[in-house]
Amino acid sequence: PVLDLAFPVSRRVMGSRAVSSQPMEVVLYAREFLRGLAVTGTLGAGKHFPGLGEGKLDSHHDLPVIKKTFARLWDEDLLPYRTIKRELPMIVVNHANYPAVTRDRLPASLSKKWISEVLRRSLAYKGLILSDDLEMAGVLKAASIGEAAVEFIRAGGDLCLICRQRENIENAFEAMIRECERDSKFRRRVGESALRVTTFKTKAKRFRSPATPSPETVGNLKRQLWEFSEQIRFERLSSAAGFGAGR
């Protein structure tokens, strides 16, 4: 399971996937969500690093361009990641572009600046770094599936997500093999991530799922989650319409 830590200024894109427009509220919700996952023996991941809440385009279909300065991103979108980085076993990097930070047109998922310099060095993040789905148009407008996989790893990522087409998985794998054979520096970078993934898997063995819940329990949980989601949606709609508390 993944948890959106977005600072959701753009409701049209993120909607109810982002839990709050206040960074510290996001931290509160994220911690409780992660605790709940841990009880069931499930690992969670935070996304979409470094922050997708102000994107006006859906990265499934296009490349969002977010023009915030690094200072604002640090204080707002990155605050949840900075605060609970030790509680997030995995972080997913998005396919949005941040021209005020990187001075290029690449998505964050292919950016050494975001992955190696900011996430690994500035935030000192020690967990696994995953790409968002590399079959999304937000990244495929910048590179082929094979190129995207290579450049994500080269930028400092650990695991490429390719979620639909087997052919794309095979193409990405073959592209990385070719690059390992051609470039010794890239081969060392792959080795670093392979070791990190292996170590992660060993440590994660302690997360063992309890007995499978009954269909009745699953049904009750689904209903409670739906009711919670509807309550949040109603409160947001009421607030937007000016029917909040005190009115």
Side-chain angles (χ1 to χ4, degrees):
V2 290
L3 178 63
D4 273 298
L5 304 184
F7 185 81
V9 173
S10 178
R11 299 289 186 194
R12 183 170 63 85
V13 175
M14 298 304 297
S16 62
R17 296 175 66 192
V19 295
S20 175
S21 61
Q22 300 302 315
M24 288 311 298
E25 286 189 4
V26 173
V27 170
L28 175 66
Y29 286 123
R31 279 184 166 144
E32 293 304 315
F33 187 80
L34 290 167
R35 287 192 189 104
L37 291 178
V39 168
T40 69
T42 305
L43 293 171
K47 69 175 190 180
H48 301 78
F49 181 89
L52 198 54
E54 293 200 38
K56 294 180 173 59
L57 297 173
D58 186 341
S59 55
H60 288 85
H61 308 295
D62 213 327
L63 175 67
V65 177
I66 298 174
K67 298 181 180 180
K68 293 177 76 168
T69 64
F70 185 79
R72 283 190 60 208
L73 286 161
W74 184 265
D75 290 340
E76 298 173 350
D77 304 69
L78 292 174
L79 190 147
Y81 296 99
R82 294 193 287 119
T83 305
I84 63 171
K85 61 187 178 185
R86 291 182 178 85
E87 301 163 60
L88 288 169
M90 296 172 279
I91 287 179
V92 179
V93 184
N94 73 36
H95 302 317
N97 173 244
Y98 302 81
V101 178
T102 59
R103 309 296 179 186
D104 60 28
R105 297 182 180 181
L106 292 175
S109 54
L110 306 185
S111 170
K112 187 174 182 179
K113 170 74 174 179
W114 278 118
I115 298 174
S116 290
E117 295 183 22
V118 178
L119 186 51
R120 281 290 185 218
R121 297 196 190 116
S122 298
L123 271 68
Y125 181 65
K126 304 300 184 183
L128 286 186
I129 299 177
L130 284 61
S131 73
D132 208 347
D133 185 0
L134 293 181
E135 291 180 318
M136 293 164 62
V139 66
L140 291 180
K141 290 197 172 185
S144 69
I145 194 79
E147 292 168 340
V150 167
E151 293 309 314
F152 170 71
I153 299 297
R154 196 193 308 278
D158 298 313
L159 285 175
C160 302
L161 296 188
I162 302 174
C163 303
R164 293 174 178 80
Q165 299 295 324
R166 176 173 177 171
E167 180 182 0
N168 286 333
I169 297 172
E170 293 170 347
N171 288 341
F173 177 76
E174 291 168 0
M176 283 199 283
I177 292 297
R178 288 194 299 270
E179 193 64 14
C180 281
E181 293 171 345
R182 187 192 71 82
D183 185 342
S184 60
K185 186 176 180 180
F186 180 77
R187 186 162 61 248
R188 289 193 296 273
R189 173 79 273 288
V190 170
E192 292 170 0
S193 284
L195 178 60
R196 187 176 291 117
V197 171
T198 301
T199 302
F200 180 90
K201 286 182 176 181
T202 300
K203 292 180 178 179
K205 286 181 180 178
R206 71 180 185 273
F207 289 92
R208 297 190 182 278
S209 297
T212 302
S214 67
E216 293 76 14
T217 299
V218 173
N220 287 335
L221 287 172
K222 286 182 177 180
R223 176 180 52 78
Q224 291 171 23
L225 286 170
W226 179 83
E227 290 174 352
F228 178 68
S229 175
E230 287 297 293
Q231 180 183 351
I232 291 176
R233 188 173 70 88
F234 177 75
E235 289 175 355
R236 288 175 174 171
L237 289 172
S238 297
S239 177
F243 298 121
R247 286 181 171 268

